[in-house]
Amino acid sequence: MNILVTGGTGFLGRHLVPHLQKQGHQVVVVNSKNCDLRETQNLLQFRNEKFDRIYHLAAWTKAGDFCLHHQGEQWVINQQIHTNVLWYWHKFQSQSLMITMGTSCSYPLGEEALREENYLAGEPDPNLATYAYTKRMLYAGLLAFAEQFKMRYQHLIPSTLYGPGFEAGDNHFIFDLIKKIHAGKTRGEEVVLWGTGEQVRELMYVGDAVDLIERAAALPTSENLNLGSGAPYTIREYAEMLCEIIGYDHGKIRYDTTKYSGNPKRFFDTTKVKTFFPDFRYTDIREGLAETVQYYQSIAA
């Protein structure tokens, strides 16, 4: 197949692209350096290509409290990116399957087990609302194109991804934990984590996400689908597992309750994905964390 991947140099893209290439597909990778998706005309360089699939991974965001300080920019930039990609899909690639990434941020505030039917229901966390609504608009666009033009899509909502291959500057909570606990072990730095440690989060090993994305792409119907493990843990439990792997005393960790810590409890209802793929085997959390720690130790040395 001939495949276009936007955001192909991000964390997920760095795993998905080699996977697709290993399968023998021709893959065109778009990133902010070779194709600024905020400008419609930049996509015209691919107007004469015919893609079987488009994986739209690109988005302008970062982990932590980034969303608190860039609401206006996030609205404009992400709306530009998503609108231009959907325009290009309809104008030049209507035959292709569009595969997009949603976000758990789009789910309404107050719901613990996040169910696909509620993705557009209720108000999201106000601290994350701008980013959440741009992702909701992306999904609304998919629904509109499918309804009017019978175009095919898969809208996939991954839980927080982890695994080897992340960049040193990536501050998603699990990478932040690894870096802080590793520094506590190797440099004697104080380990301070935001919040009480009782916040519940769900992780998805990036290799599992790639495998599930490929399985979802082969589904005969367009779906809105959570990609999660269905195995949430508290931040404190993740920290304890990492301390055991790294060899650090968890009792030395200080939890700073004055810092922003996000929703107290967020995890996916995985009934739908496990119904579609009942034979899928998820990577054990401790095994995945050990591989991630080993990778970080190799780049931090």
Side-chain angles (χ1 to χ4, degrees), residues 88-159:
Y88 171 75
W89 177 41
H90 172 242
K91 184 73 173 178
F92 300 106
Q93 305 293 336
S94 60
Q95 79 291 334
S96 67
L97 172 67
M98 174 66 75
I99 303 160
T100 57
M101 297 296 118
T103 175
S104 63
C105 301
S106 291
Y107 278 106
L109 186 65
E111 183 179 27
E112 293 183 357
L114 309 179
R115 298 172 177 85
E116 288 93 342
E117 61 266 28
N118 295 331
Y119 190 72
L120 299 179
E123 295 295 322
D125 184 338
N127 292 311
L128 306 171
T130 298
Y131 183 63
Y133 277 118
T134 63
K135 284 291 192 175
R136 284 187 177 190
M137 289 291 284
L138 172 61
Y139 179 49
L142 295 175
L143 294 174
F145 279 80
E147 176 67 24
Q148 184 174 356
F149 304 113
K150 312 305 177 188
M151 296 168 72
R152 300 176 303 123
Y153 70 85
Q154 296 296 344
H155 184 255
L156 309 177
I157 313 163
S159 53

Side-chain angles (χ1 to χ4, degrees), residues 42-250:
N42 290 333
L43 282 162
L44 295 179
Q45 63 184 296
F46 308 115
R47 66 187 303 168
N48 295 321
E49 294 267 9
K50 287 299 177 185
F51 295 109
D52 300 287
R53 293 179 182 174
I54 299 173
Y55 292 81
H56 179 36
L57 315 182
W60 194 74
T61 192
K62 292 182 182 179
D65 59 356
F66 182 84
C67 291
L68 300 180
H69 307 292
H70 300 276
Q71 297 97 325
E73 294 165 288
Q74 281 206 307
W75 179 259
V76 171
I77 293 172
N78 283 304
Q79 288 292 72
Q80 289 172 330
I81 289 172
H82 299 326
T83 297
N84 288 338
V85 169
L86 292 181
W87 166 82
Y88 171 75
W89 177 41
H90 172 242
K91 184 73 173 178
F92 300 106
Q93 305 293 336
S94 60
Q95 79 291 334
S96 67
L97 172 67
M98 174 66 75
I99 303 160
T100 57
M101 297 296 118
T103 175
S104 63
C105 301
S106 291
Y107 278 106
L109 186 65
E111 183 179 27
E112 293 183 357
L114 309 179
R115 298 172 177 85
E116 288 93 342
E117 61 266 28
N118 295 331
Y119 190 72
L120 299 179
E123 295 295 322
D125 184 338
N127 292 311
L128 306 171
T130 298
Y131 183 63
Y133 277 118
T134 63
K135 284 291 192 175
R136 284 187 177 190
M137 289 291 284
L138 172 61
Y139 179 49
L142 295 175
L143 294 174
F145 279 80
E147 176 67 24
Q148 184 174 356
F149 304 113
K150 312 305 177 188
M151 296 168 72
R152 300 176 303 123
Y153 70 85
Q154 296 296 344
H155 184 255
L156 309 177
I157 313 163
S159 53
T160 299
L161 301 179
Y162 79 105
F166 68 94
E167 295 178 333
D170 193 323
N171 288 322
H172 274 85
F173 85 88
I174 194 64
F175 303 142
D176 190 52
L177 292 185
I178 290 172
K179 287 181 280 189
K180 287 181 176 178
I181 294 170
H182 183 267
K185 168 70 174 181
T186 58
R187 299 197 294 271
E189 296 180 6
E190 183 184 21
V191 181
V192 181
L193 304 183
W194 289 12
T196 64
E198 299 308 313
Q199 313 97 291
V200 175
R201 297 292 183 268
E202 179 181 351
L203 292 177
M204 165 70 76
Y205 185 70
V206 67
D208 293 349
V210 168
D211 288 344
L212 283 174
I213 288 168
E214 285 303 274
R215 291 190 183 208
L219 290 172
T221 55
S222 296
E223 301 290 343
N224 182 42
L225 185 64
N226 286 339
L227 299 186
S229 63
Y233 295 90
T234 66
I235 297 296
R236 190 178 297 271
E237 288 173 320
Y238 286 122
E240 289 173 348
M241 286 187 273
L242 289 170
C243 284
E244 183 178 347
I245 293 167
I246 294 171
Y248 184 77
D249 180 3
H250 178 263

